[in-house]
Amino acid sequence: MAEVKDYKIKRNLSALIDFSRVINSSIDLEFILNNVLLTCLGKFLATRGLIAVKEKGKLVLKVSKGLNAEDETAFPYLLATPECIEDPKLDSFMHVTNMKIVEKISSSQDCIGLVCLGEKLNKSGYTEDDQEFLRTILNISATAIQNSIIISELREVNRLLDTRVQRLDSLFELSKEFGMLAESSRFVKLLIFSVIGQFLVQKYAVVLFKDEPEILESKFSRSDLQKCLSEYELINTLESIRNEEISEQYKLLKEIGVHLVVPMQLQGNTRGLILLGNRAGDKEYLDSDVEFIYSVGNLAIISLENKRLFEEALEKQKLEEELLIARDIQQNLLPQNIPFHENFEIAALNVSSKQVGGDYYDVIPLDDDNFVVAIADVSGKGVPASLMMANIQAFLQVICKHDLKIDEATALINNLVTANTTEGRFITFFWGVVNTKQKTIKYVNAGHNPPLLLRNNAVNKLDKGGIILGVMETVNPYIFEEVDLYKDDVLILFTDGVSEAMNLSGEEFGEDKLEETANALKVNSAKEILDGIKHEVQRFAQGNIQSDDITMLVLKVS
Amino acid sequence: MAEFNTSILDKGNVSVINLKGYLDAHTAPTLENNFTQLIGNNRFNIVVNFNELAYISSAGLGVFMAYIEKIRENSGDIKLSNMSEKVYNIFDLLGFPLLYEIYKTEDEAVNKFTR
């Protein structure tokens, strides 16, 4: 009898050593557990059994034999504590699944799992010895199980790190690519590809909020999505909307299969949305997933915005360049060289306050004995005024080719200007025909600041004429005046930019001061008088930026 | 700029796309065009051979997702083959084996269609 027992112990021992060698040679948790369970079943001739192992603090069923799926899902929620095998939930589970014995697997510190075994084939109960033997097997296995748990945890952590690295790579690549793209359609494609490739999503949409929500891409039905957009104020979405919330509060979105809505934000404002359907394998979107999508979306929207700002700046720059060209063209409309006329010295200047303005002067030869001097001031400023200035310049050039009387010609110009202007715009205009032989000027003043005719110590204002140009068609004829000119007479044509030039205290230069200045300078040449007045006006203005153009023409009889 | 190009070879009712070089956000349109072209020609049995692919970014992966639905609707499929370990790891990390059949060799993948 003793021999038989010895033999049995020997056999058990060599089996245990063999078993120990096998399971310690592997780090594959599944292989180890399978081996442990099969060894137990073989040893006790049991037909069913299971092993649960600690995973994130609780016990998870890892391997089972002879259990059906229903039994497996019935495995209770148990925390991995030393007391776990006394839990009543486990008791009732074992009762239902016909398990007869349970033993925990302990590492040096704590419980890392448990084993349940069913009835023995011969229906006999488990003895104290059996229980002891089971404990021995499990003690031998514990280290191997513990090691393989740690390794699989490390693998998991590694995989998580790999995922993080891969996502950072994606973000890095995207930020590079977004910066290089020219078309916005590629932006959306790239955004979509990155997200659906990352999460294995087949249904998606991208919406931008402009004046109206605009669906840029959609694999959901566009009309259904449109309905959702008008039903819910999604522009106010500041946080992502997760599946749970969609199920509860956004029935329409749920119906078309949206599982996640992530806002694309710029400076705290929602400028667009990324809508995604379910992930392959029905995985949920985790916090870190949503964070990634959020980052990609914001990256895209910032890049789009930068592109828009850049284009806007480019457009503005182009506009400014065009204005500079317009200014050159306008300057060319003014006489480049004032023709020399016997007995008359002429000097003129135009200082534009903006890039383009509405002031105009001209000197146009008619025939050997006659030439025209003209000055005009278009109401308003900028491009509209400059267009009208170009207009009247053209009229005048054409009309001077025809032998018309100056009053009738003025009436004609007024009709043309009236027909060509929008309401509220007008032109003050003075022009005169100077006869060099007879030394006369025949002029019409259409509402312009009266030019000053300085003779001896008197100042004569040339103010005969009629209504300003462009207000209404000529009803009352313009009247003209013919004035004789004498040696040393000085005629000064100017726009209100001269008389109304303002200093820092808001005072105007004024016509009186203009007369005074001109009088003091009149013994000089036309050019010197012009420069003298300009200098005086600038001295008065004290460097104050002028809002109006300054235009002047000085004619001196010699 | 990284090089990427593709070539398409028909093997019976299966079209094989060979990828070469770097498939990223920048080069993704090339592969997009291949898929659109094949779909346009009603060739829905597609094998993508990764043998000469050096790198794939997430935008590159997105291209596969963007066309798979259309292709499967027409009872076709995209099967993948000849991935290097590095490329396979990225596919695996993102869970592609859930959705796509991945084979060691091109012939294996092609034969799956003809059977």
Side-chain angles (χ1 to χ4, degrees), chain B residues 46-110:
Chain B
I46 301 169
V47 169
V48 180
N49 186 330
F50 286 76
N51 196 28
E52 292 181 274
L53 190 83
Y55 170 80
I56 186 164
S57 79
S58 61
L61 295 163
V63 179
F64 292 93
M65 290 306 294
Y67 294 92
I68 188 69
E69 194 181 20
K70 179 102 190 157
I71 287 169
R72 289 194 179 151
E73 270 170 16
N74 289 284
S75 29
D77 196 14
I78 303 175
K79 299 186 198 296
L80 316 175
S81 80
N82 300 67
M83 286 184 185
S84 70
E85 200 186 327
K86 202 170 112 198
V87 170
Y88 177 79
N89 280 343
I90 296 174
F91 274 86
D92 184 44
L93 197 60
L94 299 179
F96 269 70
L98 255 176
L99 275 180
Y100 294 84
E101 295 169 26
I102 303 175
Y103 297 97
K104 285 223 156 49
T105 67
E106 181 184 310
D107 285 347
E108 244 180 292
V110 171

Side-chain angles (χ1 to χ4, degrees), chain A residues 128-147:
Chain A
E128 270 298 316
D129 277 358
D130 291 341
Q131 184 107 28
E132 189 58 38
F133 193 79
L134 178 58
R135 259 184 233 126
T136 309
I137 290 177
L138 295 184
N139 281 340
I140 292 169
S141 324
T143 314
I145 293 175
Q146 171 80 350
N147 286 346

Side-chain angles (χ1 to χ4, degrees), chain A residues 159 170 173 186 190 193 200 219, chain B residues 24-25 57-58 62 66 92 96:
Chain A
R159 217 173 148 78
S170 296
E173 189 194 331
R186 284 297 311 165
L190 198 54
F193 282 169
L200 303 189
K219 286 252 175 164
Chain B
D24 57 18
S57 79
S58 61
D92 184 44
F96 269 70

Side-chain angles (χ1 to χ4, degrees), chain A residues 439-451:
Chain A
K439 290 194 178 171
T440 57
I441 180 166
K442 197 189 277 184
Y443 76 88
V444 171
N445 187 339
H448 194 80
N449 297 48

Side-chain angles (χ1 to χ4, degrees), chain A residues 245-262:
Chain A
E245 206 182 328
I246 289 172
S247 302
E248 286 165 14
Q249 295 175 34
Y250 299 91
K251 292 272 182 282
L252 287 178
L253 284 176
K254 186 185 161 60
E255 277 167 27
I256 63 174
V258 174
H259 279 230
L260 178 68
V261 179
V262 180

Side-chain angles (χ1 to χ4, degrees), chain A residues 447-463:
Chain A
H448 194 80
N449 297 48
L452 307 175
L453 179 59
L454 280 55
R455 181 177 303 154
N456 303 324
N457 286 323
V459 176
N460 184 15
K461 295 188 176 182
L462 307 187
D463 56 4

